[in-house]
Amino acid sequence: MIKLAEDLQENVEDGMLYVPDGKLSIKKSELAGNIEIESAILPSSLSIIDDESFAYTDNLKEVTCYGNIQYIGTGAFEESGLERIEFKQGCASVNDGAFSECTKLKEVDCKDFCNLSLGEKAFYHCEKLRSISLSNSLQEIKYGTFFKCKELTNVWLPQSLQTLGSYAFAGCDALVSIELPDTLKNLEDHCFDSCKNLTFVSVPAGVSVLENKVFNRCTKLQKIELPKELKLLDMSCFLECGALKEIMVGPDTTVTNESMTPYIIVNRLKF
């Protein structure tokens, strides 16, 4: 065991980063670009991983956090070689681009992941990420959070979620279906754009408007269940959705831009 120094750059031995007990945070850019680190164990005292702390650490593969992580900063692990991260006591807040371009990241192991906030493009282009479960108190998935997570197949969305932001799951090629929670109210533009293997979606009753290319280029989408309470449906939602032949809307739903999707028959429920 090496003698631990205050400067973390000096605490790497045989690829392992040793962080002293009692340390509260890893500072901004403190380890950025370090090519010696292959794994790190963060002590229970540590609660903050600041902006770009581990950014561009090309050989980093695994991180285990024993503390209750309150904050992971902007670009904290951006473009690192990270493959797996485990949070033993949970993780409250993940800022913008925290894991952006972690193209080898496969697993996020956490019993209570993001109970406060999940930032824009947090997992952008994490093309090996296959599954993720989010905290039961998370209310919003923001712009591009899982954009281009090409192998993502299993997503658990909590019964607290109200908004799926623009491009939230765009380009998730392996996504075949996704269960949207009853609490959901907003599906923003291009949310599922280019999810080319998505075949089925059921939109919950709380969503009142669908527009702005939400399902654009979902070329294998065959069935979508829409709530009878839906107030506005802009058919531009379904551009280049050639496998979708028919949809059913409520008697009072306003449908616009039908001419943009001549391959889809719009039928109305009758009471």
Side-chain angles (χ1 to χ4, degrees):
M1 181 67 176
I2 64 173
K3 183 178 180 180
L4 298 184
E6 183 65 27
D7 182 358
L8 292 185
Q9 296 279 6
E10 300 178 17
N11 291 350
V12 182
E13 185 175 85
D14 296 329
M16 171 67 79
L17 171 67
Y18 295 93
V19 179
D21 287 334
K23 189 170 178 65
L24 302 179
S25 67
I26 296 179
K27 298 174 184 177
K28 182 176 180 178
S29 304
E30 188 167 5
L31 297 161
N34 188 306
I35 60 173
E36 297 180 9
I37 303 171
E38 296 177 9
S39 60
I41 296 177
L42 307 184
S44 58
S45 60
L46 193 136
S47 62
I48 295 173
I49 303 172
D50 212 341
D51 300 352
E52 299 183 356
S53 294
F54 289 92
Y56 318 113
T57 50
D58 293 348
N59 295 314
L60 179 66
K61 293 180 175 64
E62 185 168 359
V63 174
T64 303
C65 305
Y66 278 87
N68 190 346
I69 303 298
Q70 293 301 304
Y71 176 79
I72 298 179
T74 299
F77 293 92
E78 182 177 6
E79 292 189 43
S80 71
L82 187 66
E83 296 177 9
R84 181 179 186 273
I85 187 165
E86 180 179 6
F87 300 94
K88 295 287 190 180
Q89 295 189 51
C91 175
S93 181
V94 174
N95 212 357
D96 298 347
F99 298 94
S100 177
E101 303 273 8
C102 289
T103 57
K104 298 178 181 180
L105 181 63
K106 296 178 182 178
E107 184 179 2
V108 178
D109 185 351
C110 184
K111 63 181 181 181
D112 193 22
F113 188 64
C114 288
N115 60 2
L116 291 181
S117 66
L118 181 58
E120 294 184 359
K121 301 177 81 171
F123 290 94
Y124 170 72
H125 202 202
C126 292
E127 58 184 31
K128 297 295 184 182
L129 186 65
R130 294 177 182 173
S131 66
I132 195 161
S133 295
L134 300 171
S135 172
N136 248 332
S137 55
L138 187 67
Q139 295 188 9
E140 180 180 10
I141 295 176
K142 298 180 180 179
Y143 170 80
T145 298
F146 297 102
F147 190 16
K148 291 188 178 180
C149 291
K150 295 184 177 183
E151 294 189 14
L152 189 64
T153 56
N154 186 17
V155 182
W156 187 85
L157 300 178
Q159 288 292 334
S160 55
L161 194 68
Q162 296 186 18
T163 297
L164 285 180
S166 302
Y167 293 92
F169 290 98
C172 291
D173 292 352
L175 200 62
V176 175
S177 64
I178 187 167
E179 185 174 347
L180 302 179
D182 295 338
T183 52
L184 193 67
K185 296 180 180 178
N186 303 300
L187 285 170
E188 296 186 353
D189 62 282
H190 297 272
C191 184
F192 293 100
D193 196 318
S194 301
C195 291
K196 60 185 181 182
N197 284 301
L198 188 67
T199 60
F200 171 74
V201 178
S202 179
V203 179
V207 176
S208 60
V209 175
L210 275 179
E211 55 185 347
N212 296 330
K213 302 181 181 179
V214 172
F215 298 101
N216 190 38
R217 290 189 288 262
C218 291
T219 54
K220 292 186 179 180
L221 185 64
Q222 297 177 4
K223 183 178 180 182
I224 184 164
E225 293 180 352
L226 301 174
K228 65 180 183 298
E229 298 88 354
L230 190 68
K231 294 179 180 179
L232 173 65
L233 173 63
D234 186 334
M235 293 298 288
S236 70
C237 280
F238 305 113
L239 292 177
E240 299 183 50
C241 294
L244 186 62
K245 303 301 182 184
E246 182 179 6
I247 60 172
M248 187 74 71
V249 299
D252 299 321
T253 301
T254 298
V255 180
T256 61
N257 289 320
E258 286 189 69
S259 62
M260 298 179 74
T261 54
Y263 42 85
I264 301 175
I265 298 172
V266 179
N267 291 319
R268 289 188 180 273
L269 293 168
K270 297 179 181 179
F271 294 97

